[in-house]
Amino acid sequence: MTAELTADAAHNPDGPPHESFDVEPPYEPDDAALAAVERFDDRFLDRELSWLRFNERVLELAEDPSLPLLERARFLAIFASNLDEFFMVRVAGLKRRIAAGLAVRAASGLMPREVLDRIWATAAELSARHARVLHDQLRPALTESGIDLVRWEELTSDEQRTCKRLFKERIFPVLTPLAVDPAHPFPYISGLSLNLAVVIENPRSGKEHFARVKVPPIFSRFVPVGNDRFVPLEDVIREHLKKLFPGMSIVEVHTFRVTRNEDLEVEEDDAENLLTALEKELLRRRFGPPVRLEVEESISDAVLDLLVTELGIGEAEVFRLPGPLDLRGLHGIADLDRAELKYPAFVPTTHPRLAEVESAKPVDVFKAARRHDVLLHHPYDSFSTSVQRFIEQAAADRHVLAIKQTLYRTSGDSPIIDALIDAAEAGKQVLVIVEIKARFDEEANIRWARKLEQAGCHVVYGLVGLKTHCKLSMVVRQEPDGIRRYTHIGTGNYNPKTSRMYEDLGLITTNERIGEDVAHLFNNLSGWSRNASYEELLVAPDNVRTGLVERIHREIAHHRAGRPARIRLKANSVVDEAVIDALYLASQEGVPVQLLVRGICALRPGVPGLSENVEVRSILGRFLEHSRVFDVENGGEPEAWIGSADMMHRNLDRRVEVLVRLPGESTRGPVRELLDLAFAPDTSAWLLDAEGSWSRNGGEVDLQAALIERQRSRRSAQA
C-alpha cells in the first residue's frame, strides 16, 4: 500500500524549501546515444582486480618514507587484514559459483576462472612485496628508532630466559599438540589461525610422525622482551617444542596459516527465525572450505605436500612467504607509545553551530538544531558532542516521546546502546532497526538486539531479503508549538570508536520535509507500510539508481542548454553498470565528471570517444575516506546529496540505503568546498588511467592534513 505525501511548505532554517529545477526539454538517451556507449564492450574494469589495486595503494602508504614510521607499520597490518577479508569473501564467492556451475561472464568480460587466475597471480605478487617492505624497509627503520623485531636467534641470553619463563608459566598450559596417525586424523585447521607443522621422530623406532600445534591467539602476536624489542610468538613456542613432545626428536618445524570461506548464506524467507538461522550459520562459518594456504618459504616439499593434500588446496592457492606470517599483529607495534613516530595528536572539536548555543555544557543539540541545520564532518567534528550527545540528550529529555534508530555496526561498549536502553526504561517509545547480518559483526549485533529487547525497546530486523544499511536517527519531541522531529542522517555507522578514524558526513536537521520522509521510511522498515515516494530522500532499492541516473541525465540537458553542468561523486566503490553508463553518456556530451573513489572503480576514465571528460581520483591516508556524496551544478542551482549508498549492485538492489538532499547553502557549501579541495590540482591523490592502473600525482597538499589544520584554525578562532 502506497501512502501519499502532502507535506506543506516545510520549515527550513537555511531558506525556502528546495524545489526541483525543471529542465526543458528533459534529456532521455535515444538508441543512438546508448549504442555510442555500448559499442565499447570493454568499458568496465573488473571489480575484484580493482579491489586488489586498492589494497596495493594501501601498501604504497606503508612504503612511503614521508609517513611516520609506526603509521607505515599500521598500513602493513591493514593491508594484511584487507587481504584476509578479500579471500574469505570475494575469492570464496568466486570458487563457490564455479563449483555450483553458476559461472557467468562478468561485466569486465572475464569468466570467474580467468578472474581467479589473475587474483592468485596478483595477490601472490602483492603478498611477496608486502613481506619485502617489512624486511627491507620497516625492520631496519624501526631498529634505527629503537624498536627491534627480532627472531629467536637474535635474542640475548637474558631475553631467552625471559621467554622461557613466559612459556613455562603462561603459554605451555594452553598448548594442545595434535598428532596425525591412523588413530588421529588430520586435525581441523581453523580459518586465520597461525599453526606450527611439526615433524617428530621416535628415536627408538626411527619412525617420523606429523603433528600440528596451534599458536594461541590470546597472546600478543609479537612478544615483548623489554626495551622495545619483540619476538614472534611462534618462535618462542618453536624453541620449546620438546616440552610438548618429551622423548621425541624435533625434525622439522614450519609455520602455516589457512584462510577459509567465511561469508554467510542465510535463507531469510522466515524472518521470525532469522536470529536462529544466523546463529547456525555462524557455527558453519568456522568450517568453511579453505581458499588460501600461507606457508613460510623454508617449508619442506614433503610437509607442504601433506598440507596441500589434507586441506584440498590447489597449487595456485599456496603462498610461500618469508616469515613471520600473519602481519595483522603489527597493529600491536603501531600502538606503541612513541608519539614522535606517529601522526601528530589530533582531537576533534565540537561543531561551531553546536558550540555557539550559549556555551552550554553539555551541548544542547535540540536548541542548536532549531536555529540551524548542522552538517557534521567526522572525525574533524566530534562525534561524542554531536551524534552521541543527540541520542543521550533525547534519552534524558522528559519532552522526548520517541526515538527511532538504525544500527548496522557499533562499538562493544556503545554509549548509543546505553542511551537507547535508558530511554526505553524511562518509558519512551524506542524503535531500533538492528542489522544482524552486518558482515563479521553478526554475533555482536545479535547480543545487542537481545539486550535492547530485554530493556523494552522495539527491535526489528528490517525487511526480508534486504540489509538495512542506512544511517538514521529520529527524535520526536513535544514542544510548546507542537510535535517536532529532529533527524540525523549520516554516511557512517553509529560507532564512537570508528568515528575517530573514519571520515564521514552527517546532517542534523528539523527540516519538516526530511522529517516526514524519515518517518515514512521507519514505518516501512517496522510495519506493513510500503511508501516508496519521498520528497527529499532517495531510498534503495526503490529509487537510488534511477534517481541518480535521472540527475545525471538532467546535467546533460543543462549542458546542452548552455547552463552550468558538472557531476561530482564521492564513494567507496563505483561498480554499478547503469550508473557508469550514465556517466559515460554525460562525458560524451561534454559534461565534466569527477569521481573520488577510495576503493573499487569499474569505470575507465580517459577512453577516447567514451570518457575523455571523466577524472577518477583516490585519496587514502590517516583517516578512512568513507563518506558518500553526489553533487551536481543543476543549471546554476547546485544540489548535493549525502548518504549510505555506494554505487554497487548490493547497495542499490539488496540493501535499504538512504541519500538525503542537503537542505540549504549552509550544508551544501561545506560539501562543495570539500570536493573543490579534493579535486584541486595540487592535492595529493592517486589517478586512474584507462587501463586500470593507478599512479600518484605528486600533489603537495594532503587533503586530511589540510582539513585538520582548518579545524585547528577554527578552534583557535573560537578561543
Side-chain angles (χ1 to χ4, degrees):
M1 183 171 63
T2 301
E4 289 188 11
L5 292 181
T6 57
D8 297 325
H11 163 74
N12 184 347
D14 291 310
H18 185 101
E19 298 295 341
S20 297
F21 193 116
D22 292 326
V23 180
E24 293 294 343
Y27 174 78
E28 284 293 337
D30 56 21
D31 291 343
L34 295 174
V37 169
E38 292 170 358
R39 69 185 177 89
F40 293 89
D41 55 9
D42 61 345
R43 64 189 183 277
F44 301 114
L45 297 168
D46 187 80
R47 61 156 292 163
E48 316 300 353
L49 302 179
S50 180
W51 185 92
L52 285 172
R53 293 308 172 198
F54 151 68
N55 212 28
E56 182 179 24
R57 298 196 292 282
V58 175
L59 184 56
E60 288 181 26
L61 291 174
E63 295 170 330
D64 188 344
S66 70
L67 296 185
L69 188 56
L70 289 182
E71 305 298 347
R72 294 172 64 191
R74 191 176 303 283
F75 283 121
L76 277 183
I78 291 171
F79 173 95
S81 299
N82 286 349
L83 198 59
D84 285 347
E85 183 172 338
F86 178 72
F87 271 88
M88 288 189 293
V89 177
R90 301 304 309 177
V91 174
L94 283 169
K95 290 189 67 177
R96 188 169 60 240
R97 289 198 292 277
I98 292 170
L102 300 176
V104 296
R105 195 174 299 277
S108 62
L110 299 175
M111 292 296 290
R113 172 56 61 184
E114 295 176 284
V115 176
L116 269 181
D117 289 342
R118 296 191 190 187
I119 285 173
W120 285 325
T122 304
E125 172 192 326
L126 290 176
S127 297
R129 179 173 158 190
H130 179 242
R132 288 196 302 271
V133 174
L134 174 65
H135 290 283
D136 299 344
Q137 299 180 34
L138 264 293
R139 278 190 66 190
L142 287 168
T143 297
E144 287 183 12
S145 298
I147 301 171
D148 290 315
L149 301 183
V150 298
R151 303 310 295 259
W152 179 266
E153 59 273 11
E154 299 173 270
L155 294 175
T156 66
S157 299
D158 287 343
E159 290 169 340
Q160 290 183 356
R161 281 192 289 272
T162 298
C163 291
K164 184 176 182 179
R165 285 195 301 273
L166 175 69
F167 180 85
K168 179 180 179 181
E169 296 171 3
R170 299 194 60 203
I171 300 174
F172 178 74
V174 302
L175 294 179
T176 304
L178 296 174
V180 177
D181 59 29
H184 301 87
F186 192 85
Y188 175 77
I189 310 298
S190 54
L192 302 187
S193 64
L194 192 62
N195 305 273
L196 295 178
V198 185
V199 178
I200 54 178
E201 181 184 84
N202 186 325
R204 294 181 179 177
S205 65
K207 188 173 182 179
E208 292 187 349
H209 304 274
F210 177 86
R212 171 258 191 159
V213 178
K214 181 177 179 178
V215 177
I218 58 174
F219 299 112
S220 298
R221 177 71 189 82
F222 294 96
V223 177
V225 294
N227 298 318
D228 280 346
R229 284 169 59 81
F230 302 86
V231 63
L233 177 58
E234 64 270 25
D235 282 17
V236 177
I237 297 172
R238 186 196 314 256
E239 288 302 313
H240 297 88
L241 283 175
K242 288 186 177 181
K243 299 287 185 182
L244 286 175
F245 303 100
M248 306 293 280
S249 300
I250 307 299
V251 180
E252 296 180 52
V253 184
H254 307 287
T255 310
F256 71 97
R257 183 171 181 260
V258 175
T259 310
R260 294 185 176 275
N261 173 2
E262 297 202 18
D263 202 10
L264 293 178
E265 300 176 79
V266 182
E267 293 296 330
E268 302 177 56
D269 293 337
D270 187 354
E272 292 183 2
N273 293 325
L274 182 57
L275 240 65
T276 302
L278 188 62
E279 288 176 316
K280 290 180 180 177
E281 186 67 8
L282 286 167
L283 290 173
R284 185 207 62 78
R285 170 189 274 177
R286 301 174 190 171
F287 300 93
V291 293
R292 178 180 58 164
L293 172 63
E294 297 169 278
V295 298
E296 280 194 294
E297 58 187 5
S298 58
I299 193 168
S300 68
D301 291 341
V303 173
L304 180 58
D305 287 345
L306 174 66
L307 293 176
V308 167
T309 300
E310 293 291 346
L311 293 169
I313 283 282
E315 182 180 343
E317 297 168 288
V318 177
F319 290 66
R320 299 185 74 142
L321 300 166
L325 305 179
D326 190 8
L327 294 183
R328 295 176 303 168
L330 288 172
H331 278 297
I333 303 301
D335 287 337
L336 290 173
D337 187 14
R338 295 287 299 273
E340 76 279 9
L341 301 179
K342 298 183 180 183
Y343 289 121
F346 166 72
V347 179
T349 57
T350 300
H351 189 285
R353 286 196 162 181
L354 298 177
E356 72 182 7
V357 184
E358 302 171 359
S359 299
K361 294 185 179 180
V363 169
D364 188 334
V365 179
F366 297 150
K367 190 171 184 179
R370 287 195 297 272
R371 291 185 179 183
H372 307 285
D373 294 324
V374 180
L375 182 75
L376 302 163
H377 193 191
H378 309 299
Y380 313 101
D381 295 319
S382 168
F383 181 89
S384 63
T385 60
S386 56
V387 180
Q388 180 180 321
R389 172 59 186 157
F390 175 50
I391 305 301
E392 290 174 339
Q393 184 179 351
D397 190 322
R398 62 188 178 88
H399 298 294
V400 168
L401 307 177
I403 303 173
K404 300 187 179 186
Q405 173 89 43
T406 63
L407 287 178
Y408 190 75
R409 303 183 196 276
T410 189
S411 58
D413 52 350
S414 173
I416 301 287
I417 297 287
D418 293 340
L420 293 171
I421 289 173
D422 290 345
E425 291 177 345
K428 296 176 171 60
Q429 291 291 313
V430 179
L431 170 69
V432 188
I433 313 294
V434 177
E435 182 45 74
I436 57 171
K437 300 183 298 300
R439 182 176 287 149
F440 302 125
D441 275 350
E442 298 94 346
E443 292 178 277
N445 286 6
I446 288 172
R447 288 196 302 271
W448 292 130
R450 289 188 166 140
K451 186 175 180 181
L452 288 163
E453 284 180 324
Q454 291 166 2
C457 299
H458 301 295
V459 178
V460 177
Y461 305 117
L463 301 176
V464 173
L466 300 174
K467 280 188 179 182
T468 304
H469 188 248
C470 52
K471 325 298 181 184
L472 304 173
S473 295
M474 187 175 72
V475 172
V476 181
R477 191 171 188 265
Q478 177 68 57
E479 299 188 350
D481 56 348
I483 296 291
R484 191 187 304 271
R485 296 186 182 99
Y486 295 81
T487 305
H488 173 266
I489 302 177
T491 68
N493 298 307
Y494 291 98
N495 189 322
K497 291 184 178 178
T498 60
S499 71
R500 297 191 289 268
M501 300 176 287
Y502 285 24
E503 178 272 343
D504 274 303
L505 295 163
L507 173 70
I508 296 179
T509 183
T510 58
N511 182 287
E512 291 178 17
R513 289 186 173 197
I514 294 174
E516 187 87 6
D517 281 355
V518 172
H520 281 303
L521 180 54
F522 271 115
N523 288 341
N524 291 347
L525 293 172
S526 65
W528 290 109
S529 171
R530 195 66 189 97
N531 172 54
S533 175
Y534 303 94
E535 295 283 329
E536 303 298 323
L537 304 182
L538 294 175
V539 179
D542 293 320
N543 64 2
V544 170
R545 178 188 288 110
T546 56
L548 294 182
V549 169
E550 176 187 328
R551 282 159 179 79
I552 293 170
H553 289 170
R554 187 187 299 169
E555 289 302 288
I556 294 174
H558 285 309
H559 179 74
R560 285 183 165 186
R563 291 186 289 265
R566 180 182 59 184
I567 300 163
R568 296 191 293 188
L569 190 152
K570 181 179 186 294
N572 296 297
S573 299
V574 176
V575 174
D576 187 75
E577 291 85 9
V579 172
I580 292 174
D581 277 349
L583 294 172
Y584 283 145
L585 274 172
S587 173
Q588 288 178 327
E589 289 282 344
V591 178
V593 177
Q594 294 178 311
L595 306 183
L596 186 60
V597 185
R598 174 173 59 89
I600 306 168
C601 183
L603 180 148
R604 293 183 187 268
V607 176
L610 179 68
S611 54
E612 298 102 322
N613 294 304
V614 182
E615 175 189 4
V616 181
R617 289 189 170 204
S618 183
I619 292 177
L620 281 70
R622 175 176 187 167
F623 307 127
L624 184 143
E625 292 288 329
H626 191 249
S627 64
R628 292 89 165 185
V629 177
F630 181 78
D631 174 75
V632 289
E633 288 298 322
N634 196 32
E637 294 189 6
E639 196 174 278
W641 300 72
I642 66 168
S644 58
D646 280 310
M647 301 301 104
M648 304 181 74
H649 302 157
R650 71 184 186 198
N651 298 87
L652 304 184
D653 297 323
R654 301 191 299 276
R655 291 185 175 187
V656 179
E657 305 276 12
V658 169
L659 298 179
V660 60
R661 177 163 40 199
L662 295 178
E665 183 55 31
S666 70
T667 54
R668 286 194 300 269
V671 166
R672 292 168 66 82
E673 290 174 10
L674 167 65
L675 295 176
D676 288 343
L677 181 56
F679 287 107
D682 57 348
T683 295
S684 177
W686 281 263
L687 305 181
L688 179 63
D689 67 20
E691 302 306 315
S693 296
W694 294 85
S695 59
R696 297 188 84 163
N697 65 352
E700 297 180 356
V701 176
D702 181 298
L703 173 69
Q704 296 177 353
L707 292 172
I708 288 174
E709 188 55 40
R710 182 180 298 179
Q711 182 253 27
R712 285 175 174 154
S713 298
R714 186 179 75 188
R715 180 168 54 191
S716 298
Q718 290 173 342

